[in-house]
Amino acid sequence: MKPENLEIINKSFDVQAADFESRSLNFSKEDYLKYTLESVEYKNTDTFLEVAAGTCICARSFAPMVKNVVCIDATPAMLQVGKDEADKKHLDNMIFIKGYAEELPFLENSFDIVFSRLAFHHFTNVDKAFSEMVRVLRPGGKLVLIDMEATQEELRATEDEIERLRDMSHIRNLSKEEIDNLFMENGLTIEKSEVKEIEQHLTRWLALTKTPEDIQKDITKRMQEDLQGGVKTGFSPYYKNGEICFKHRWLLTLGYKSNKK
């Protein structure tokens, strides 16, 4: 089952792949990676799957601590960056697969940890992608979902509109309630649900996606108007050292699959 927006996703991330891990753009958020590792208990016998893995930043962080790691993503250019970086560090327990979250090419009950970070806001069918992650998770295993939490309800449509202007593959940020419901409706027990605010610099944020200049100007104007008390964007922007910044709320939710048949 290919994503409905596969062509758009590939077009967007083909452009982003080369700079996706650039320190100057500061996307990898090393402090958050450390927090992620600390939040997910793992064993050296675990098999780990990262869904919609992109350049497999998280999977590469877990690779030295677990038995095997599989990365799956729809965009080969992103996976190639991840594989090249893994090869540089001799992470020989990693496998890279082109595929779709909505139709994972694995048997059920195959992985001890199933993980996805900053991907669900790109999915047109979040229910299918999530149920596939649950299907391949072993009983007693952990499912970890990290994504941007939607802003307050009255500004959600505006926030998503601006996100789509910046990156046409964006679909919709989910609320905490919606994410919690995904876990509960699929029979998972939520053990952890934590939000971290991640500072974004507007110019770097727009540079990562190579957003066209006219759209960059439009988004910047809307942020400036928000700062001046005008129409709200849902981003709650602020100035820092003369630069427009805002904070994404990254929500980490960890749940367990029941051992019961």
Side-chain angles (χ1 to χ4, degrees), residues 15-179:
V15 169
Q16 295 183 54
D19 296 326
F20 206 71
E21 299 192 30
S22 169
R23 288 184 178 273
S24 64
L25 298 176
N26 199 29
F27 182 81
S28 62
K29 308 295 182 188
E30 292 182 8
D31 288 344
Y32 195 86
L33 282 175
K34 181 180 178 183
Y35 158 74
T36 302
L37 287 167
E38 293 171 348
S39 297
V40 182
E41 295 182 6
Y42 50 82
K43 303 186 295 290
N44 59 12
T45 56
D46 283 342
T47 55
F48 180 100
L49 170 66
E50 184 171 9
V51 176
T55 59
C56 317
I57 297 167
C58 292
R60 294 191 333 253
S61 298
F62 278 94
M65 273 76 74
V66 299
K67 183 179 180 180
N68 294 307
V69 171
V70 178
C71 300
I72 186 166
D73 196 88
T75 307
M78 295 288 279
L79 284 173
Q80 189 63 57
V81 172
K83 185 178 186 305
D84 290 346
E85 292 299 317
D87 289 345
K88 290 177 186 177
K89 295 184 178 180
H90 305 288
L91 298 174
D92 300 324
N93 63 337
M94 297 188 69
I95 298 172
F96 303 84
I97 298 174
K98 178 182 178 294
Y100 313 120
E102 297 85 352
E103 190 176 23
L104 295 175
F106 311 112
L107 298 178
E108 63 183 48
N109 306 330
S110 292
F111 298 93
D112 299 294
I113 300 173
V114 177
F115 184 100
S116 184
R117 185 186 81 151
L118 299 181
F120 266 65
H121 60 273
H122 296 291
F123 296 162
T124 56
N125 191 337
V126 296
D127 292 323
K128 179 60 175 174
F130 195 89
S131 66
E132 276 291 277
M133 290 170 65
V134 175
R135 180 183 65 80
V136 302
L137 181 65
R138 288 176 179 160
K142 304 180 189 74
L143 192 152
V144 183
L145 176 60
I146 300 171
D147 208 355
M148 298 181 296
E149 182 184 14
T151 191
Q152 58 264 45
E153 190 63 36
E154 62 270 20
L155 293 174
R156 284 182 70 176
T158 301
E159 179 191 48
D160 283 326
E161 177 196 355
I162 293 172
E163 290 275 6
R164 279 192 295 274
L165 284 172
R166 179 246 181 187
D167 178 359
M168 57 187 173
S169 67
H170 178 92
I171 299 296
R172 182 172 180 265
N173 288 337
L174 298 176
S175 68
K176 182 182 183 301
E177 181 182 8
E178 288 168 331
I179 290 173

Side-chain angles (χ1 to χ4, degrees), residues 167-199:
D167 178 359
M168 57 187 173
S169 67
H170 178 92
I171 299 296
R172 182 172 180 265
N173 288 337
L174 298 176
S175 68
K176 182 182 183 301
E177 181 182 8
E178 288 168 331
I179 290 173
D180 286 350
N181 285 339
L182 283 174
F183 278 76
M184 292 185 290
E185 290 169 1
N186 283 274
L188 300 182
T189 300
I190 296 174
E191 181 185 77
K192 182 175 295 187
S193 179
E194 295 180 348
V195 169
K196 296 283 186 182
E197 291 189 334
I198 306 297
E199 185 173 77

